[in-house]
Amino acid sequence: MNKLLSSAIAATALLGVASAQVTLSGAGATFPAPLYTEAYIPNFTKATGIRVNYQAVGSGAGIRQLTDKVVNFGASDAPLSDAQLKEIQEKNGSPVLHIPTALGPVALTFNLPGIEELRLDAATVADIFLGKIIRWNDPRIAALNPGVQLPRQLISATHRSDGSGTTFIFTSYLSAISPEWKSKVGAGQSVNWPAFSSLGGRGNPGVAAIVAQTPGSIGYVELKYALENKLPVVTLKNQAGNWIKPSLASAVEATSGIELPDDLRLQNQVVNTKDPQGYPIVGMTWLLVYQKQEVTAKSLEEAKALVRFLNWVLTEGQKLNEGASYVRLSPEVVRRAQALVNTMTYNGQPLR
């Protein structure tokens, strides 16, 4: 009996050591990178011993690495299109699941020395990025900011140079509020920027750095990056006519009551909300995983470790969202996301 007990203890110990040696790899969006690398991953590893390596290389690169079976999970703020899903499934033999993790506001941040408060409405934002408003003292900007001494300086409209989910969120907003933008440019992870004077930065950190270093610039970043870099943010007029700053509270207002399809892909993001107190540029972000884990997992144990990570993010991880300036998922979205995770298999074996 003692030998049997000893053997059981030894087997359990070996399993614990093996679990601790599993390292999951992921790549993609910079939008949620502070949440993943500063909150989720350290706490998950501390709780489970499972290491996670996440490379914030942009949504487009993350999708490519998942498609090429380089990583266990991709990360994107732009949901895959029907065509992309079909192409990946035909190539790799498995559907890709969208597991939401958080939502967050995309802030417009600017660099105008001596000016900390700036108001813009939807039409003015669109015309800046369309290249129709090229100087900061344009009468249309001045009319929205009475008493502010705006310089005659050229506007440097800063954007992402890489395939970006944050760009998808921002251009979804521009497409929603500007018929001209929708017809000429449209929404996407990469677009042809028409602004007269534009600069490109890699990742949210790259855009934030350009804005910080370039007087006269304006760019879009997830709010966390503006806060960390102490950059001022634009107050936007929403659809209800109210002036709203990007914040956790105004993002929560915007996302209240949103409806998601069965696969949890939010194709149009949360833009141009009708909520009176809602901020008009909010996006959801996802972890992308293969339903059939044998596509990327090297072992059953690795597949189980990924499922454990996903379920942890959807439960314990959600408690960390607000402290990191991201919106937590609603209980209903968590329930539906966990139902998707429960469909994951490894060589036909359920992983739940």
Side-chain angles (χ1 to χ4, degrees):
M1 188 72 176
N2 288 338
K3 281 188 176 182
L4 288 173
L5 183 58
S6 298
S7 297
I9 291 171
T12 302
L14 285 171
L15 181 61
V17 171
S19 296
Q21 291 173 345
V22 170
T23 298
L24 300 173
S25 61
T30 63
F31 177 99
L35 177 64
Y36 293 175
T37 61
E38 298 169 18
Y40 285 176
I41 292 172
N43 284 282
F44 174 72
T45 299
K46 183 178 180 181
T48 66
I50 300 169
R51 295 185 292 270
V52 182
N53 177 30
Y54 181 73
Q55 300 296 320
V57 292
S59 295
I63 292 169
R64 285 194 298 274
Q65 290 194 34
L66 183 72
T67 303
D68 294 339
K69 301 184 285 187
V70 175
V71 293
N72 296 104
F73 64 90
S76 179
D77 322 312
L80 298 177
S81 66
D82 290 344
Q84 285 176 305
L85 288 173
K86 182 180 179 182
E87 180 183 354
I88 295 172
Q89 182 165 354
E90 288 177 350
K91 178 180 179 180
N92 294 326
S94 172
V96 173
L97 304 178
H98 289 67
I99 309 302
T101 59
L103 301 101
V106 173
L108 281 168
T109 183
F110 62 94
N111 184 338
L112 291 172
I115 299 175
E116 293 296 319
E117 296 289 336
L118 184 71
R119 289 183 167 190
L120 296 175
D121 60 15
T124 307
V125 172
D127 282 350
I128 287 173
F129 282 89
L130 281 166
K132 298 172 72 173
I133 294 178
I134 64 171
R135 294 189 184 275
W136 280 109
N137 67 341
D138 185 283
R140 286 165 288 182
I141 300 178
L144 299 172
N145 295 275
V148 178
Q149 298 299 310
L150 295 164
R152 193 174 177 275
Q153 190 168 13
L154 284 172
I155 298 172
S156 293
T158 308
H159 58 82
R160 290 283 290 274
S161 61
D162 54 331
S164 159
T166 310
T167 295
F168 174 76
I169 297 167
F170 182 57
T171 56
S172 292
Y173 167 72
L174 293 176
S175 295
I177 54 90
S178 169
E180 183 177 359
W181 181 277
K182 185 176 182 178
S183 64
K184 289 184 176 180
V185 185
Q189 295 179 49
S190 296
V191 299
N192 293 318
W193 295 95
F196 170 75
S197 176
S198 63
L199 301 169
R202 190 168 185 81
N204 274 275
V207 172
I210 289 175
V211 173
Q213 297 163 13
T214 311
S217 60
I218 184 171
Y220 57 92
V221 295
E222 204 286 327
L223 177 62
K224 181 75 170 181
Y225 291 89
L227 297 175
E228 287 186 341
N229 290 278
K230 296 181 172 57
L231 296 171
V233 295
V234 172
T235 301
L236 287 176
K237 180 180 273 190
N238 66 11
Q239 190 177 155
N242 295 322
W243 293 103
I244 307 293
K245 272 188 177 292
S247 68
L248 189 61
S250 62
V252 169
E253 289 288 339
T255 59
S256 177
I258 60 170
E259 295 184 3
L260 289 167
D262 291 342
D263 61 10
L264 301 184
R265 288 185 297 160
L266 190 61
Q267 290 288 5
N268 296 317
Q269 292 290 10
V270 192
V271 296
N272 200 31
T273 177
K274 295 180 180 179
D275 189 289
Q277 298 306 314
Y279 181 71
I281 318 177
V282 179
M284 177 174 277
T285 192
W286 296 266
L287 296 179
L288 307 177
V289 297
Y290 286 104
Q291 188 177 51
K292 297 179 180 179
Q293 273 298 291
E294 61 270 22
V295 174
T296 50
K298 300 179 183 68
S299 65
L300 175 61
E301 184 182 22
E302 189 171 297
K304 286 183 175 180
L306 178 59
V307 166
R308 190 174 181 185
F309 176 59
L310 296 174
N311 279 319
W312 187 93
V313 164
L314 291 169
T315 52
E316 295 303 311
Q318 290 304 299
K319 300 173 186 177
L320 305 175
N321 283 23
E322 293 179 355
S325 300
Y326 292 84
V327 179
R328 66 188 299 171
L329 304 175
S330 71
E332 174 61 14
V333 172
V334 167
R335 183 191 66 77
R336 292 172 62 188
Q338 286 183 302
L340 285 181
V341 173
N342 286 340
T343 68
M344 293 169 66
T345 61
Y346 182 81
N347 287 328
Q349 179 178 335
L351 294 169
R352 57 183 180 274

